[in-house]
Amino acid sequence: MSATVRLQKYLAQCGIASRRKAEEMIAEGLISVDGKVVTEMGVSITPGMNQVSFAGKHLETKEKLVYYLLNKPKGYVTTLSDPQGRPIVTSLIKERGARLFPVGRLDLDTEGALILTNDGQLAQRIQHPSNETNKTYEALIKGLPSKEKITLLENGIKLEDKITSPATITVLASKSQNCLVKITIHEGRKRQIKKMFGLIGHPVLNLKRIAYGKLVLGNLPIGCYRQLKPADLKKIFL
Ligand code: URA
């Protein structure tokens, strides 16, 4: 998911022309998106993901790149708008100016670590399957799974016709009715953790993402965020 912008607005943001002049340039066939000339109005692009060129030269916005780690509360959606009017995660970031979008998604009832940025390239790098970026979760699950079931999940289980990639699971604490587990995966399929535990008969009762790679949420309070520095960004890929 990413923030899209009208092509003419993007051209204006890049400082090559006013929005009106940019429309003329589009109509004249001077602008291409991902190598294809665009002449119609109304095309939207995603900065950092689509490559916009003018006269063969790649364009970039002058917007400063910003990175935040948010402790997402439950009840917030990770989309940029919500037809049902539920609160959206970007509304929690008080600094305005940057067109922020969340990297990946967390379910409405999942809390924890969520990176928000305006850097489409970093977002793509984190989410691209070939980079195998680890995401670690703490899940409170119903019952106490056997070692065999844990091993099944760790090795890969058939989920919607495709075996899940290897996972690492540690049981952190167990009570009579439920237990707390730590699980690290590098895929990002929809509702993956809940589905994986559901498949072995131990539904997830509460889910919290605690890290991207070695970038940990730590004791950041729910609903709060911190700005990430280059050293933090490196930890995502460790
Ligand atoms: N897996 C899930 O099931 N839900 C999330 O929000 C994230 C990972």
Side-chain angles (χ1 to χ4, degrees):
M1 171 195 340
S2 207
T4 61
V5 61
R6 286 286 164 111
L7 184 55
Q8 58 269 43
K9 188 173 174 193
Y10 179 75
L11 293 168
Q13 283 169 352
C14 291
I16 69 153
S18 67
R19 227 188 270 195
R20 207 155 144 202
K21 182 82 187 135
E23 285 178 0
E24 287 173 23
M25 292 165 75
I26 295 169
E28 285 167 23
L30 299 174
I31 307 299
S32 57
V33 176
D34 297 332
K36 277 199 195 136
V37 173
V38 171
T39 51
E40 73 273 23
M41 292 306 137
V43 169
S44 290
I45 63 118
T46 305
M49 299 223 184
N50 295 116
Q51 182 65 70
V52 179
S53 312
F54 165 52
K57 192 170 166 270
H58 294 335
L59 300 177
E60 274 172 25
T61 49
K62 294 180 180 63
E63 193 175 74
K64 186 173 170 274
L65 298 176
V66 289
Y67 309 90
Y68 298 100
L69 182 67
L70 169 75
N71 187 348
K72 175 197 172 293
K74 290 180 185 180
Y76 278 74
V77 293
T78 55
T79 44
L80 293 176
S81 62
D82 185 58
Q84 296 176 50
R86 293 167 299 187
I88 60 174
V89 282
T90 46
S91 69
L92 292 164
I93 309 289
K94 299 292 167 239
E95 282 84 357
R96 291 283 164 224
R99 295 163 298 110
L100 293 177
F101 52 86
V103 179
R105 58 177 166 249
L106 283 180
D107 297 336
L108 186 69
D109 62 352
T110 300
E111 58 188 9
L114 184 68
I115 293 175
L116 294 124
T117 182
N118 55 350
D119 184 346
Q121 270 167 5
L122 182 92
Q124 205 175 23
R125 213 179 133 205
I126 294 173
Q127 291 176 273
H128 200 280
S130 67
N131 289 324
E132 303 195 347
T133 312
N134 281 328
K135 271 96 46 184
T136 301
Y137 299 83
E138 259 180 27
L140 182 69
I141 61 170
K142 194 161 178 230
L144 176 63
S146 64
K147 278 211 176 74
E148 288 73 24
K149 284 184 174 176
I150 297 263
T151 307
L152 189 66
L153 285 193
E154 285 192 313
N155 291 342
I157 189 165
K158 196 165 175 195
L159 173 62
E160 285 142 14
D161 290 340
K162 195 171 164 249
I163 306 283
T164 54
S165 294
T168 312
I169 301 175
T170 316
V171 176
L172 299 173
S174 64
K175 292 188 195 150
S176 52
Q177 306 290 322
N178 50 45
C179 76
L180 189 66
V181 298
K182 188 163 97 168
I183 171 164
T184 301
I185 59 170
H186 61 71
E187 289 174 304
R189 298 202 235 163
K190 212 170 177 189
R191 301 173 67 82
Q192 181 163 350
I193 303 287
K194 289 177 190 159
K195 287 179 181 165
M196 284 169 71
F197 283 103
L199 282 170
I200 58 160
H202 294 276
V204 170
L205 306 173
N206 193 61
L207 187 61
K208 179 179 180 178
R209 180 154 63 202
I210 57 167
Y212 288 78
K214 296 245 177 309
L215 177 70
V216 296
L217 189 61
N219 53 11
L220 195 61
I222 292 182
C224 295
Y225 58 91
R226 67 183 175 91
Q227 199 153 3
L228 298 174
K229 305 202 174 70
D232 296 310
L233 300 179
K234 276 192 192 150
K235 289 184 191 163
I236 298 169
F237 302 101
L238 296 178

